[in-house]
Amino acid sequence: MKTNSFLVLSLIAVWLFFLLGSVFCNDYKTFNKLVLPSSVSGPQSAAFDRAGEGPYVTVADGRILKWKGPATGFVDFAYTSPNRTKKLCDGTNDLDLGPICGRPLALSFNYKTSDIYITDAFFGLLVVGFNGGLATQLSGGYKYLYGVDVESFTGNVYMTDASLTYDIRNLAQPGLNPDSTGRLLKYDPRTQRVTVLLSALAGVGGPTVSSDRKYVLVPEYVTKKIQRYWLQGPTKGTNDVFMTVFGSPNNVKRAASDGEFWVAVENPPQGLRVNGSAIVLQTVPLTQFLSVTVDVAQEMNDALYVGSSHTDFVGVYTK
Ligand SMILES: *[C@@H]1O[C@H](CO)[C@@H](O)[C@H](O)[C@H]1NC(C)=O
Ligand SMILES: *[C@@H]1O[C@H](CO)[C@@H](O)[C@H](O)[C@H]1NC(C)=O
């Protein structure tokens, strides 16, 4: 009897050891920086094209830059404002120049067409071809368009609008109380129409469509919840809470493994890999990043690319 319970306890201990080990062990041990051009900052996204080239990053001075490898570094790829000049804008951090320079915040590839969809805090939703250059505005008039994800099968574009009342310039104002007027929107490229899927979101982050295209995950920064909006099935058109996170979730991205996601969490900066049952499979501390905020964690070729509005580099964690 005694030996039996000892055996059971030992088995539980071994099982716990492996379970916790897999959740907490950090196998992203190496850290590198992809440094932006001089005085450029704020890479809030890090996307890769169909050929695996990139990352493409959206930066504070209004450009989208493309990483061309360590010898060349980042080069100009695209921009969002028709009135942008390199002389006035390159290297600026001044959000008051946003209406002239633009401030792209997120980008997502349609892998079928190679079109790149961009959300800009001043210019709304835009699209640019794989050769880059000046992007074309598809939908404007937003207060603070934030995240974007293209579902490449239908071409539908899912985007988030952070607020109906404040814009990106208000964020630095002391005492700003993020309200609950965030929305999840859909842009249909066939009809060119935008529809509201969810409203009254609290501090909404960047959305992502599940790899089986059944739902969209939408992080709520303030309530620390990740909402799930159903695109298919009996609950189509409704939402539920996918998971509650201990810190504020900023962006959710599909992971390399089908059905899994990376959630970028702030305070402290961490990357969480979760599966479709909202089980945390891995926690990566992003402390070398030396920043209180992390915007995005994007997995590519066994590396985790981490972007933040507060850095002048993209962090790369490798195993
Ligand atoms: C660009 O500049 C022109 C001339 O100053 C102005 O009329 C136009 O509104 C500006 N466009 C944008 C998108 O700011
Ligand atoms: C998520 O991971 C848990 C634990 O490994 C597993 O039991 C569950 O089936 C997984 N869910 C999905 C959708 O893969």
Side-chain angles (χ1 to χ4, degrees):
M1 200 59 200
K2 239 187 177 137
T3 19
N4 268 350
S5 46
F6 177 74
L7 191 69
V8 168
L9 278 177
S10 318
L11 282 174
I12 289 176
V14 168
W15 176 77
L16 268 178
F17 177 80
F18 280 106
L19 182 78
L20 293 177
S22 66
V23 171
F24 291 110
C25 94
N26 174 25
D27 46 357
Y28 286 96
K29 291 198 169 69
T30 315
F31 177 73
N32 280 298
K33 292 177 179 179
L34 309 184
V35 179
L36 293 167
S38 170
S39 77
V40 177
S41 68
Q44 283 195 222
S45 56
F48 292 84
D49 64 22
R50 191 163 52 179
E53 289 183 16
Y56 296 71
V57 298
T58 51
V59 295
D61 74 6
R63 285 179 289 176
I64 290 163
L65 305 174
K66 179 182 177 183
W67 177 252
K68 297 282 271 184
T72 310
F74 282 101
V75 298
D76 283 14
F77 178 75
Y79 55 104
T80 50
S81 168
N83 285 354
R84 187 183 194 284
T85 63
K86 291 184 72 64
K87 190 167 187 285
L88 178 69
C89 300
D90 278 11
T92 187
N93 252 321
D94 183 359
L95 281 173
D96 289 331
L97 286 177
I100 299 168
C101 300
R103 187 6 168 160
L105 293 172
L107 78 161
S108 179
F109 283 84
N110 180 325
Y111 289 114
K112 270 190 180 172
T113 62
S114 287
D115 284 331
I116 303 157
Y117 288 84
I118 304 158
T119 43
D120 184 287
F122 298 93
F123 291 91
L125 179 69
L126 306 99
V127 68
V128 73
F130 60 88
N131 287 324
L134 175 62
T136 306
Q137 191 184 53
L138 298 172
S139 175
Y142 300 98
K143 199 82 181 162
Y144 190 177
L145 210 57
Y146 187 79
V148 64
D149 190 40
V150 180
E151 196 266 82
S152 292
F153 187 78
T154 57
N156 286 334
V157 179
Y158 296 90
M159 52 192 183
T160 48
D161 183 15
S163 177
L164 296 174
T165 60
Y166 62 86
D167 70 25
I168 192 169
R169 285 167 292 195
N170 301 130
L171 286 189
Q173 282 167 7
L176 172 82
N177 207 356
D179 58 17
S180 298
T181 57
R183 299 181 299 168
L184 173 68
L185 310 170
K186 178 178 106 175
Y187 171 81
D188 182 332
R190 284 160 298 275
T191 61
Q192 301 178 345
R193 275 186 49 203
V194 172
T195 45
V196 179
L197 303 181
L198 288 176
S199 50
L201 298 169
V204 67
T208 202
V209 181
S210 62
S211 56
D212 61 8
R213 308 192 305 272
K214 288 194 173 142
Y215 55 88
V216 191
L217 293 184
V218 188
E220 275 187 292
Y221 190 83
V222 175
T223 59
K224 302 178 179 168
K225 288 180 168 58
I226 297 178
Q227 300 285 343
R228 172 172 47 190
Y229 178 87
W230 290 97
L231 300 173
Q232 292 178 30
T235 49
K236 178 179 171 176
T238 67
N239 66 297
D240 53 16
V241 176
F242 175 72
M243 73 187 290
T244 303
V245 194
F246 54 86
S248 293
N250 205 325
N251 262 286
V252 186
K253 293 285 172 190
R254 279 179 300 282
S257 297
D258 260 7
E260 296 180 2
F261 305 93
W262 280 102
V263 185
V265 178
E266 295 188 2
N267 306 320
Q270 292 190 327
L272 305 181
R273 185 163 58 89
V274 301
N275 73 8
S277 310
I279 302 293
V280 177
L281 304 173
Q282 188 177 8
T283 300
V284 179
L286 304 173
T287 36
Q288 287 107 315
F289 209 43
L290 296 176
S291 166
V292 285
T293 71
V294 53
D295 283 86
V296 67
Q298 175 81 57
E299 186 182 0
M300 184 69 189
N301 293 339
D302 279 337
L304 206 54
Y305 292 79
V306 181
S308 167
S309 54
H310 287 75
T311 56
D312 56 5
F313 59 85
V314 172
V316 189
Y317 289 83
T318 42
K319 292 180 182 173

